[in-house]
Amino acid sequence: MDIETVFDASYARVLERQVDGKGFFEAFYERFVAASPEVAEKFRHTDMHRQQAMLKKSFYHLLTFYASSHADYYLDKVAISHNRRHLDIPPPLYDLWLETMVATLRDFDPAFNDTVELAWRLVMTPGIVYMKFHYERDTLVGEGDSA
């Protein structure tokens, strides 16, 4: 199984569909905000159209990180902005984020099956681990490390 090919095909399918008049990212964020009072509070003053566009852009960086194991400037910036000192997105919310993403995927991808789910989990997980790792850190890996 070529994970990237399965993910890319599924991603293309979900972007083409609407369910109940909503696109994938809109439906995802509605579900995510409803999943937890903590998430709802984090997004209380957020421009959700802008947030959806940012997540859509992030998918490219998550796939690149999965494929290369190298965090680019964008992913570094997101990791620091989401740490404890900035947006304060605690690690358990990333697990909820992934579960909500998979639940939304299940509704949007007509070809959803175990292979598709696994591809999404494998592509998203390295980026999630990266974000969790940086929650307590003020610098990126390599910055300020002593030899």
Side-chain angles (χ1 to χ4, degrees):
M1 164 176 65
D2 179 357
I3 298 298
E4 289 178 50
T5 300
V6 172
F7 175 85
D8 287 346
S10 174
Y11 186 58
R13 287 189 298 270
V14 302
L15 290 180
E16 291 174 353
R17 290 197 71 203
Q18 287 205 343
V19 173
D20 297 329
K22 296 178 184 121
F24 179 74
F25 291 104
E26 180 182 3
F28 163 75
Y29 273 115
E30 279 188 9
R31 183 174 276 168
F32 188 45
V33 167
S36 154
E38 184 177 10
V39 173
E41 179 59 28
K42 295 286 183 190
F43 285 103
R44 190 166 47 109
H45 299 293
T46 301
D47 175 345
M48 293 310 286
H49 291 294
R50 183 173 179 264
Q51 186 67 31
Q52 291 167 33
M54 287 172 44
L55 180 56
K56 192 173 182 179
K57 178 181 178 183
S58 296
F59 269 55
Y60 167 78
H61 298 277
L62 290 170
L63 184 58
T64 300
F65 186 63
Y66 164 79
S68 70
S69 298
H70 175 75
D72 60 15
Y73 173 78
Y74 182 85
L75 192 56
D76 284 344
K77 188 172 128 181
V78 171
I80 293 299
S81 73
H82 284 64
N83 76 8
R84 179 187 292 279
R85 291 189 54 219
H86 297 97
L87 293 173
D88 190 22
I89 309 300
L93 291 186
Y94 293 100
D95 298 328
L96 179 59
W97 183 93
L98 181 60
E99 294 311 313
T100 304
M101 183 68 60
V102 170
T104 308
L105 171 66
R106 190 175 285 115
D107 291 343
F108 273 77
D109 188 346
F112 182 88
N113 60 24
D114 287 346
T115 302
V116 169
E117 179 178 350
L118 180 60
W120 277 69
R121 288 182 182 277
L122 290 173
V123 168
M124 297 292 125
T125 296
I128 290 169
V129 168
Y130 192 79
M131 299 294 287
K132 288 177 171 183
F133 182 82
H134 286 288
Y135 180 68
E136 297 288 349
R137 290 165 177 79
D138 292 328
T139 60
L140 299 168
V141 175
E143 291 181 13
D145 288 349
S146 57

